[in-house]
């Protein structure tokens, strides 16, 4: 917190911090993927070419350009170059198509789209609907000869003609200027463009770097998509902001996770969502412990598999954290407390004010006392997590979304005193007597059956363990003329090996009557978000 305060006082931005970091070890590898890498010098030169090119094309400070590209070492330096010109880059999820893709371009008011050659079909499908948005095609190094889409500019060739001299042609940005738009993955509906300011991009990797006691000599394994906060900010930021080498992978592979980590000498590695569960489903092998990873960083490691995971893969520290792309309510588990998503001492509640308040678990509606104030939860009492918004403190700000209406919906006012304002995380947590927080459910995911509240995430964890850690999604369904919602579990069983008799026996012995799903739905595969979270709505 002190470092961020100091950086903001000094006007530090991502670009100014990068300029300092890249000069320390210019020949050191910045990003590595497979057998290819870019050094800090090469990355800086590419970003300079980007800045000069788009300035020459007439693009101006404050405008927005979309980046629609799969992971590769050049990815981060493309948007970093735009940042030098003080252009905001919208990092578009590469899984989006059609109307959702068009929505993302329009809601951020994009003036152009830079797309990778692997996204050609997706661009062609919407090209007629975005005739006024210029297109720039960037081919991967090993696919330079891929034909360019009609009416698109071949950016790869154009950049080769540009100067790589330092770009200092405009007034520097400020710490709270918008750097990126990152779209919330969501489980339903259209994505929202969350605003990532310079100071927030500095804060996220710095917080994890400090908590994990990392140094610039650490090598970080980042197999997550670079269009998302975990991969593109927390992971990539270890390189841009703190000078680490970051190892990328185009697409997460459970069978290659530890092989990659060992091959590149990684000392820290990332996970998110259901990744740890997928790693456990891979048959044991010598690769499980033939690595140098000492700290695992991420969120979503289920308490039910935590101990098994660290025992099998010999992980000394799990740095489980909690936070949203756009939120100001971040928690971190510093001492590998099994199952905890973070810790907050009550002694620092005035410095970092997070509150668990009572709510209706079904609707998420906040309950208030006779004075109209929110009611604080006691130990082990489920509540909605709120984080106080304080524009004066960088760590407590809420920049919101490109859509201001969406931003307002995430704010809760008059929580403790008249006129205060808090960020609504939408998550129901519980806190123990010591200050450790545990995830219970997301508001709206709980359903009521037989007069009891059923937590979908808790039932999912039990059933997943019963069926060999396969994907299982639990949700409530309406039955005509019956009050409440009955449980349904959708199970991914592509190999058709599910033993229903064993499942029934396990459910009956592991779950109370009201929490046992009445319906089982078999799917060839389970829909996932880009960050490996289970979708309950499609």
């Amino acid at each position: 917190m002190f470092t961020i305060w100091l950086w903001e006082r000094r006007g530090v931005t991502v670009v100014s911090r990068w300029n300092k970091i890249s000069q320390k070890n210019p020949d050191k590898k910045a990003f590595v993927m497979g057998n290819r890498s870019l050094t800090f010098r090469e990355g800086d030169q590419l970003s300079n070419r980007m800045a000069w090119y788009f300035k020459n094309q007439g693009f101006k400070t404050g405008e927005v350009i979309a980046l629609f590209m799969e992971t590769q070492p050049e990815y981060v330096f493309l948007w970093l170059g735009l940042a030098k010109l003080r252009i905001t880059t919208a990092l578009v999820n590469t899984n989006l198509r059609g109307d959702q893709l068009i929505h993302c371009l329009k809601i951020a008011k994009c003036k152009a789209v830079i797309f990778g050659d692997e996204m050609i079909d997706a661009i062609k499908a919407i090209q007629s609907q975005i005739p006024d948005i210029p297109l720039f095609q960037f081919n991967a190094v090993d696919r330079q000869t891929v034909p360019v889409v009609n009416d698109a500019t071949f950016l790869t060739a154009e950049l080769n003609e540009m100067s790589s001299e330092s770009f200092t042609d405009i007034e520097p940005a400020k710490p709270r200027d918008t750097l990126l738009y990152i779209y919330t993955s969501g489980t339903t509906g259209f994505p929202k463009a969350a605003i990532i300011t310079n100071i927030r991009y500095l804060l996220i990797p710095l917080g994890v770097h400090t908590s994990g006691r990392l140094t610039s000599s650490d090598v970080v394994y980042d197999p997550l998509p670079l269009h998302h906060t975990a991969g593109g900010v927390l992971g990539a930021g270890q390189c841009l902001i703190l000078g680490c080498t970051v190892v990328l992978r185009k697409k997460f592979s459970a069978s290659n996770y530890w092989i990659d980590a060992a091959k590149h000498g990684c000392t820290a590695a990332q996970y998110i969502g259901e990744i740890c569960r997928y790693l456990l489903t891979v048959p044991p092998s010598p690769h499980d412990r033939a690595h140098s990873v000492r700290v695992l960083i991420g969120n979503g490691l289920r308490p039910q598999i935590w101990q098994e995971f660290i025992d099998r893969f010999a992980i000394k520290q799990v740095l489980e954290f909690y936070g949203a792309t756009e939120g100001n309510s971040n928690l971190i588990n510093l001492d590998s407390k099994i199952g905890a998503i973070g810790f907050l001492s009550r002694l620092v509640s005035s410095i970092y004010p997070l509150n668990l308040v009572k709510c209706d678990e079904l609707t998420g509606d906040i309950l208030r006392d006779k004075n109209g104030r929110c009611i604080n939860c006691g130990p082990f009492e489920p509540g909605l997590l709120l984080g106080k918004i304080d524009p004066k403190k960088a760590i407590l700000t809420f920049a919101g979304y490109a859509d201001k209406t969406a931003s307002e919906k995430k704010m809760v006012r008059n929580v403790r005193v008249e006129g205060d304002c808090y960020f609504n995380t939408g998550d129901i947590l519980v806190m123990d007597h010591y200050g450790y927080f545990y995830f219970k459910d997301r508001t709206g995911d709980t359903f009521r059956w037989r007069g009891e509240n059923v937590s979908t995430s808790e039932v999912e964890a039990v059933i997943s363990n019963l069926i060999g850690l396969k994907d299982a999604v639990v949700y409530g369904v309406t039955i005509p003329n019956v009050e409440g919602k009955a449980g349904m579990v959708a199970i991914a069983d592509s190999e058709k090996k599910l033993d229903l008799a064993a499942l029934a026996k396990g459910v009956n012995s592991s779950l109370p009557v009201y929490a046992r799903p009445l319906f089982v739905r078999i799917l060839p595969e389970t829909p996932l978000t880009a960050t490996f979270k289970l979708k309950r709505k499609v």
Side-chain angles (χ1 to χ4, degrees), residues 208-400:
V208 168
H209 193 88
T210 305
S211 301
R213 299 180 181 178
L214 304 180
T215 69
S216 60
S217 61
D218 277 299
V219 180
V220 181
Y221 184 50
D222 178 6
L224 309 176
L226 294 180
H227 56 69
H228 186 264
T229 312
V233 180
L234 190 156
Q238 301 303 322
C239 170
L240 293 188
I241 309 304
L242 298 148
C244 297
T245 295
V246 174
V247 178
L248 307 171
R249 187 176 180 88
K250 186 173 182 178
K251 188 176 182 180
F252 164 73
S253 167
S255 59
N256 287 291
Y257 191 95
W258 299 115
I259 295 174
D260 285 349
K263 175 182 176 181
H264 298 289
C266 297
T267 52
Q270 288 185 261
Y271 68 92
I272 197 169
E274 302 294 325
I275 279 180
C276 292
R277 182 164 59 84
Y278 297 149
L279 293 176
L280 278 175
T281 63
V282 177
S285 78
H287 299 299
D288 291 354
R289 290 170 167 255
H291 59 80
S292 302
V293 174
R294 70 175 189 279
V295 57
L296 208 65
I297 304 161
N299 61 0
L301 176 52
R302 297 193 181 201
Q304 294 82 0
I305 63 171
W306 192 305
Q307 189 66 54
E308 179 185 359
F309 186 89
I310 60 177
D311 288 346
R312 174 174 165 181
F313 299 114
I315 301 298
K316 295 179 180 178
Q317 181 183 11
V318 174
L319 205 64
E320 171 87 6
F321 65 86
Y322 169 86
T325 297
E326 70 280 26
N328 67 344
S329 310
N330 305 302
L331 294 164
I332 197 159
N333 180 348
L334 294 170
D335 57 359
S336 299
K337 173 78 170 179
I338 291 179
I341 63 171
F343 172 83
L344 185 65
S345 169
R346 297 183 183 186
L347 299 176
V348 298
S349 59
S350 60
I351 301 173
Y352 195 58
L354 298 185
N355 283 61
L356 274 185
V357 301
K358 294 184 180 180
C359 71
D360 184 315
E361 290 186 50
L362 297 179
T363 65
D365 293 338
I366 295 172
L367 306 179
R368 294 180 182 262
D369 61 21
K370 62 182 180 180
N371 298 315
R373 301 293 176 258
C374 297
I375 306 168
N376 285 341
C377 296
F380 295 105
E381 189 173 14
L384 188 64
L385 182 66
L386 306 179
K388 187 175 183 180
I389 298 172
D390 186 348
K392 295 180 181 178
K393 299 178 180 179
I395 199 168
L396 299 179
T397 56
F398 170 54

